[in-house]
Amino acid sequence: MAAITEMDPTEFAYGDMYFTTYMNQVPYQLENELTELPQEFAFSAGEGRIRNKIYMHRALIRLYDHLGKNTSPFEKLEHYPKIYQRDTRSPCANDRCLFLTNKHSFPDVRLFRYKPYINISESEQIHESYYKTQHFIEFPYSHAVDGKDWTAWKSKENIHANDYIGLDLLLPMHVPLTFHLVVDHKPDYFGAQSVEISNDGLNWVKQSSIPIDIHKVSRTSDGRKTPVISATFHIQNTGFRFVRVLSNRNFDFGFGVYDFSFHADMKSIQKKP
């Protein structure tokens, strides 16, 4: 690939930027809460950010030029799952699951056009002017599954019919499970939703007659108490890997998820002969 694109030796030092760009795919991004280590001379600190953007831009120009020449090594079709089929958002804090939702936090990339390309700083300015990112920074996906009572993921858009939140449990579950959900929703939300399970994340089976225990509680953040709803439900079926809570109608409020977690239903296990 380097020989075909005629990369110079200096560019190899920034190979990670070229590798990602040359894939010619929208990256499948998982958001997670990270703690940045203080490094005065970090590679991407200060002038390093500008330097990184320069090489990202060079990679984009090379890719664009070679696509125009129909150079064979570059992928020209979008891989499955395509960007708007993706719903995995963040790993759970205990690494036992992945948080799922069809709600996107960023605008549709198809709204933006580049003629034929622009530099990275211009791209950032265009996106920032269209869509303020502060909401995503304050209420990211990972806050739904970080195990902290005082943090939450909140969607900017209201909940619509067929919107959902869920978990990928990573492996088929061979024991009954209890799920715990804490949300900042109006009480009627739980009268218009369905609990569904799946083996593959594509084909879903509605779980009928699952009682949901609902209690009003509060969460404290920055000295302020927020009234929320704590809901618990049990799934006796086994062998499934995915679970989701699907909305059956439109609401005038968005998702506000403080916790979505699960544990083995020990009472059901002990009752088995």
Side-chain angles (χ1 to χ4, degrees):
M1 183 71 74
I4 294 174
T5 57
E6 301 173 347
M7 291 171 60
D8 64 56
T10 305
E11 292 175 292
F12 281 103
Y14 306 90
D16 54 339
M17 301 173 194
Y18 285 83
F19 173 79
T20 303
T21 304
Y22 284 175
M23 290 178 66
N24 198 28
Q25 299 290 320
V26 178
Y28 202 135
Q29 296 173 305
L30 298 185
E31 180 272 323
N32 195 13
E33 185 176 6
L34 300 176
T35 301
E36 185 175 0
L37 298 177
Q39 299 182 46
E40 184 177 355
F41 301 104
F43 189 75
S44 297
E47 294 182 359
R49 286 179 54 84
I50 299 175
R51 179 187 59 228
N52 291 348
K53 290 180 181 180
I54 291 173
Y55 282 94
M56 290 172 65
H57 186 62
R58 289 184 183 180
L60 288 169
I61 292 175
R62 288 186 182 277
L63 173 64
Y64 184 87
D65 290 342
H66 280 273
L67 286 174
K69 299 173 184 176
N70 200 29
T71 306
S72 57
F74 293 103
E75 182 61 63
K76 299 176 181 63
L77 298 177
E78 188 176 4
H79 292 170
Y80 177 85
K82 296 182 179 181
I83 182 171
Y84 288 100
Q85 296 173 319
R86 303 172 185 177
D87 63 356
T88 303
R89 304 301 180 185
S90 177
C92 301
N94 57 14
D95 289 331
R96 295 173 58 194
C97 56
L98 297 169
F99 178 60
L100 312 175
T101 180
N102 65 306
K103 283 294 194 185
H104 296 276
S105 285
F106 298 109
D108 190 333
V109 296
R110 293 167 293 191
L111 294 172
F112 303 95
R113 293 291 183 269
Y114 311 111
K115 299 180 180 180
Y117 41 69
I118 59 176
N119 68 46
I120 305 301
S121 295
E122 288 177 320
S123 176
E124 288 179 335
Q125 292 172 3
I126 291 174
H127 284 253
E128 181 68 21
S129 64
Y130 180 87
Y131 191 88
K132 300 299 181 183
T133 57
Q134 189 59 36
H135 181 89
F136 178 76
I137 294 172
E138 293 182 6
F139 307 107
Y141 294 119
S142 59
H143 283 183
V145 287
D146 62 1
K148 300 175 182 177
D149 289 344
W150 59 91
T151 63
W153 164 65
K154 296 185 179 182
S155 64
K156 290 197 70 173
E157 294 183 348
N158 288 345
I159 301 172
H160 300 132
N162 296 319
D163 283 345
Y164 59 87
I165 52 176
L167 296 176
D168 175 355
L169 307 179
L170 305 182
L171 294 170
M173 295 291 105
H174 299 295
V175 297
L177 297 177
T178 295
F179 292 87
H180 184 226
L181 186 60
V182 179
V183 294
D184 182 13
H185 296 172
K186 294 180 180 179
D188 59 342
Y189 170 76
F190 286 101
Q193 46 70 41
S194 303
V195 176
E196 299 181 338
I197 60 175
S198 172
N199 297 329
D200 56 10
L202 298 174
N203 302 292
W204 295 87
V205 178
K206 181 179 179 180
Q207 301 298 286
S208 58
S209 303
I210 290 185
I212 300 179
D213 298 326
I214 300 174
H215 303 280
K216 292 184 178 180
V217 296
S218 63
R219 288 290 182 266
T220 302
S221 178
D222 297 329
R224 295 177 298 177
K225 288 188 176 182
T226 301
V228 294
I229 296 176
S230 175
T232 302
F233 60 91
H234 310 275
I235 297 182
Q236 297 297 319
N237 290 345
T238 59
F240 68 93
R241 171 177 163 176
F242 301 85
V243 60
R244 70 181 183 182
V245 179
L246 180 77
S247 174
N248 295 326
R249 68 175 179 86
N250 298 336
F251 290 93
D252 60 357
F253 54 87
F255 282 113
V257 184
Y258 281 79
D259 180 54
F260 198 172
S261 56
F262 71 99
H263 62 268
D265 190 341
M266 299 307 298
K267 292 183 179 179
S268 297
I269 295 174
Q270 293 171 358
K271 289 180 181 179
K272 290 186 176 181

